[in-house]
Amino acid sequence: SQQGEEDPQALSIQEGENATMNCSYKTSINNLQWYRQNSGRGLVHLILIRSNEREKHSGRLRVTLDTSKKSSSLLITASRAADTASYFCATPGGNQFYFGTGTSLTVIP
Amino acid sequence: GAGVSQSPSNKVTEKGKDVELRCDPISGHTALYWYRQSLGQGLEFLIYFQGNSAPDKSGLPSDRFSAERTGGSVSTLTIQRTQQEDSAVYLCASSLDPGTVGTQYFGPGTRLLVL
């Protein structure tokens, strides 16, 4: 399967702490995307990193990509209660994206 | 501007009935995707439309599932003779870029419960 797999499955932290979640995938990709999902509804795009990029920032988000290890990480700094959600990485394959089962993040106020 | 919309938000049906789920993509987006998400799971690709090209139906789980996209805009996913295992959230996404080079914009989903 080309499916990206997130790790850990669940993460619980205190507000203000940093949260790191990882994604591993199996095939060569030209980009990798991270999405956020609240309450099992629609996903919201967070960030896209291309295969020739190693690191990308967007606000409190930092994404890294290591194509040699076929892995990516998403770091959320100074977490807030509103960051509580599920986070998915998506890797392209053919006409579709492959999504993992996600990391469920809980930020405790 | 308006995002992707889906209707209905929730649908409860009896086993064996047919259901239709609707997706209105963002205006101008030529790519449209349908996904299914079972409880606590990742997204399962169902079908992909790109402009006037033949759709990629490789993810449809059985011949009870079909989808169409009229006029390159609105899409309808139809599930015939629903089964309890069809219960899931059905998500639609659209993209300005074809294939997997761009951002997908998701609708809020339709939560389907088959009794």
Side-chain angles (χ1 to χ4, degrees):
Chain A
S1 168
Q2 291 178 260
Q3 191 175 41
E5 291 295 336
E6 295 87 354
D7 171 69
Q9 290 188 337
L11 180 61
S12 183
I13 59 174
Q14 296 289 328
E15 197 166 33
E17 294 181 338
N18 296 341
T20 300
M21 51 206 87
N22 305 293
C23 169
S24 60
Y25 57 92
K26 295 185 178 180
T27 64
S28 295
I29 58 173
N30 55 24
N31 73 80
L32 183 145
Q33 302 186 29
W34 285 90
Y35 288 81
R36 165 195 168 124
Q37 183 179 40
N38 288 78
S39 305
R41 302 304 286 226
L43 279 71
V44 174
H45 179 260
L46 295 177
I47 198 164
L48 180 154
I49 186 166
R50 303 195 187 283
S51 59
N52 60 353
E53 298 175 308
R54 291 295 170 260
E55 186 171 313
K56 200 163 183 180
H57 296 253
S58 177
R60 294 183 295 111
L61 305 180
R62 172 180 166 244
V63 168
T64 64
L65 179 64
D66 187 334
T67 53
S68 66
K69 295 182 180 178
K70 292 187 169 56
S71 67
S72 174
S73 68
L74 170 66
L75 168 69
I76 304 174
T77 60
S79 63
R80 305 167 181 169
D83 294 329
T84 295
S86 291
Y87 293 83
F88 295 86
C89 66
T91 53
N95 288 321
Q96 63 172 290
F97 283 98
Y98 292 90
F99 290 80
T101 54
T103 291
S104 176
L105 173 66
T106 301
V107 181
I108 303 167
Chain B
V4 177
S5 61
Q6 292 186 247
S7 61
S9 297
N10 296 280
K11 176 71 176 179
V12 180
T13 191
E14 294 179 347
K15 179 180 173 181
K17 301 282 190 182
D18 297 352
V19 295
E20 281 191 355
L21 312 180
R22 177 187 168 108
C23 172
D24 283 87
I26 293 173
S27 178
H29 281 196
T30 58
L32 186 148
Y33 310 77
W34 282 98
Y35 293 91
R36 177 170 72 174
Q37 186 179 30
S38 300
L39 188 64
Q41 299 298 309
L43 276 68
E44 175 189 4
F45 167 77
L46 297 177
I47 190 168
Y48 164 69
F49 294 91
Q50 173 56 45
N52 296 320
S53 302
D56 179 348
K57 304 179 181 180
S58 60
L60 295 178
S62 77
D63 58 8
R64 297 187 295 106
F65 288 73
S66 63
E68 62 178 21
R69 189 178 184 192
T70 54
S73 181
V74 172
S75 178
T76 302
L77 176 69
T78 302
I79 308 173
Q80 296 179 310
R81 305 180 302 282
T82 52
Q83 303 294 313
Q84 288 181 332
E85 60 262 29
D86 299 335
S87 296
V89 176
Y90 289 82
L91 293 162
C92 173
S94 70
S95 178
L96 186 60
D97 301 299
T100 55
V101 298
T103 300
Q104 294 185 70
Y105 295 85
F106 282 82
T110 293
R111 192 179 301 275
L112 175 66
L113 178 60
V114 182
L115 301 177

